[in-house]
Amino acid sequence: MLQRPWFLRTWIIQEVALATHAVVLCGQHSASWDDFYRAVSYAIDLDYFSNTAPEMYSSLRSIEKARTDMAHGQTLRPLDMFTSFRIFLATDPRDKVFGVYSLFSESDLARVSLQPNYDMNVVEVFTRAALDCIVSEGCLDVLSFAGCGQEESPLPSWVPDWTYRERSQPLLPRFILGGLFNHQGCPASWPSASGNSFPVVDVSEDLKILSLSGCIFDRIVETGGVLEKGYYEHQPGHANLEIASLMKEGSDVLIKWEEMCGIPDGKPYFTGEAPREVYWRTLHAGCYPYGTEQLTREAWDKWYKPLQDSAELTRYSSDGWTKIEESQSGTLYKIAAGAHWMAVKMTFTMRKEREQSRMSGVSRTVIRTENGYVGLAMGHVEEHDHIALLKGGKVPVVIRPGNDGAWTLVSDAYVHGIMNGELSNSLEYEMLRFS
């Protein structure tokens, strides 16, 4: 039932959120919205949808949150609204913005300059919506949803395309902790890579060029490949299937990531942390989605073990088999290797109680910089892209030389060791132009 198009139409959001009594009708059957959502929520809690395309169930979560907020006199900020409903569809792309305006608070409506006006084209609507998010919030969080993931997009690179369905979470604690995995461990204020700075913003008259005060401080020299997760589009799937799909496709990527973080060498990171500490913290973008550092580390170790075993098996298959063939040691070693593979498989099969991963590394890539930093970014970043800090930006951004001396925004980024403003006071800032 959740696959029906109705659940992903933008205009149904306000219909449910603003209804005093909402009833779900399907053929001759009916149920109150509250009972219907309670059933879906129970399935989510059981991890019934772990390996299912998130659009199948997260749309209901977004609608329910809007409905609950409205009932309690609370509303999401415009950026949170655009983010929550990004997976929804609209025949007219402008409705991705205008379709949620009825849910804005009066104070936010007073701050935004854009009003529903279908004489404007899509580029102008999305551009003005991005500027409204910067002005109304006094920060650059909206840039984490922008970037040149779509090469032929008519939008400036700093303007989010709200019609683009991106499954990876932006690398902002605000969305990592308060979004898909809603828990009580969110701090009152988030750390910021740019310290306590405020954005310095200028925009050209034609709204194509955005100038921001920032500093280019490093360059990417290596990327580690993308850890892709397979989804079942039309049926629910157990959390173990997530492990299985990642084991099948991701072993080589995980080996590469561990090497980039220095795990095989064991050399401490420049912060003094052990490489494995840097590794798991980076893949979680420095956040604790299970509420505390200890709980997050324990959950990570439990979830990662079969993947690690698979990666070790891959190492053994590529290196060990060659050595066995060269040494002509007979079939005994091959039998032992086969037994090891079966043990790994049995260990994985016996791990019944498992939930889907809450790390931010899925659908992203690990990066290593010229100055020895490691971090996380979108999969379309490239070697020789630059990393910049922007005043008022909580996370670094990856940028690329563009046309006419302007930069192209490529991705947001997590860079381990600078996310609490460690570099913010030692950098020299200038106005950077983005097209």
Side-chain angles (χ1 to χ4, degrees), residues 365-379:
T365 184
V366 168
I367 58 174
R368 188 171 61 84
T369 75
E370 197 169 43
N371 293 325
Y373 293 103
V374 296
L376 205 61
M378 294 296 291

Side-chain angles (χ1 to χ4, degrees), residues 276 280 296-306 351:
R276 191 162 292 279
W280 80 263
T296 300
R297 177 59 190 269
E298 290 174 354
W300 159 255
D301 287 339
K302 179 180 178 182
W303 182 85
Y304 190 67
K305 186 62 167 63
R351 295 173 186 271

Side-chain angles (χ1 to χ4, degrees), residues 10-209:
T10 297
W11 282 106
I12 69 141
I13 300 166
Q14 61 178 354
E15 292 176 3
V16 179
L18 298 176
T20 304
H21 301 288
V23 177
V24 181
L25 301 174
C26 184
Q28 300 299 314
H29 305 281
S30 67
S32 72
W33 172 270
D34 293 338
D35 287 345
F36 179 72
Y37 179 75
R38 191 175 295 114
V40 175
S41 180
Y42 180 63
I44 294 173
D45 290 343
L46 290 178
D47 235 16
Y48 187 62
F49 298 107
S50 294
N51 217 47
T52 305
E55 294 82 5
M56 185 183 291
Y57 60 91
S58 59
S59 58
L60 268 76
R61 272 191 160 178
S62 299
I63 297 171
E64 173 64 15
K65 179 165 178 53
R67 178 173 169 79
T68 303
D69 287 345
M70 296 297 292
H72 292 86
Q74 302 172 342
T75 54
L76 294 172
R77 303 303 305 275
L79 178 57
D80 297 277
M81 204 81 74
F82 297 146
T83 304
S84 295
F85 305 127
R86 187 174 192 173
I87 62 173
F88 287 77
L89 304 174
T91 303
D92 188 332
R94 293 170 293 186
D95 289 338
K96 295 283 289 182
V97 173
F98 296 149
V100 297
Y101 260 64
S102 61
L103 304 179
F104 284 6
S105 68
E106 292 184 5
S107 58
D108 279 328
L109 283 174
R111 291 189 185 98
V112 299
S113 61
L114 178 65
Q115 299 297 328
N117 179 357
Y118 288 89
D119 290 331
M120 293 188 291
N121 60 38
V122 175
V123 172
E124 187 175 2
V125 170
F126 283 15
T127 300
R128 290 189 179 277
L131 292 171
D132 279 346
C133 288
I134 295 174
V135 172
S136 64
E137 298 199 348
C139 68
L140 301 179
D141 286 1
V142 68
L143 299 185
S144 285
F145 296 91
C148 59
Q150 292 181 294
E151 296 180 358
E152 299 181 357
S153 174
L155 296 168
S157 67
W158 52 273
V159 176
D161 183 352
W162 298 116
T163 65
Y164 182 54
R165 299 172 77 175
E166 173 58 59
R167 283 172 173 160
S168 61
Q169 290 287 314
L171 299 175
L172 288 161
R174 164 183 177 181
F175 297 104
I176 295 174
L177 298 179
L180 181 60
F181 307 107
N182 195 12
H183 67 86
Q184 304 301 317
C186 303
S189 60
W190 310 121
S192 174
S194 64
N196 297 320
S197 63
F198 293 92
V200 179
V201 183
D202 187 34
V203 62
S204 61
E205 290 187 9
D206 61 4
L207 304 183
K208 293 182 178 180
I209 301 294

Side-chain angles (χ1 to χ4, degrees), residues 258-278:
E258 290 185 357
E259 291 173 352
M260 291 175 65
C261 291
I263 290 177
D265 298 333
K267 183 179 179 181
Y269 198 58
F270 73 90
T271 59
E273 296 169 279
R276 191 162 292 279
E277 281 289 306
V278 175

Side-chain angles (χ1 to χ4, degrees), residues 370-392:
E370 197 169 43
N371 293 325
Y373 293 103
V374 296
L376 205 61
M378 294 296 291
H380 53 257
V381 301
E382 300 174 357
E383 294 179 8
H384 308 301
D385 284 342
H386 296 74
I387 300 180
L389 275 180
L390 305 173
K391 285 190 175 180

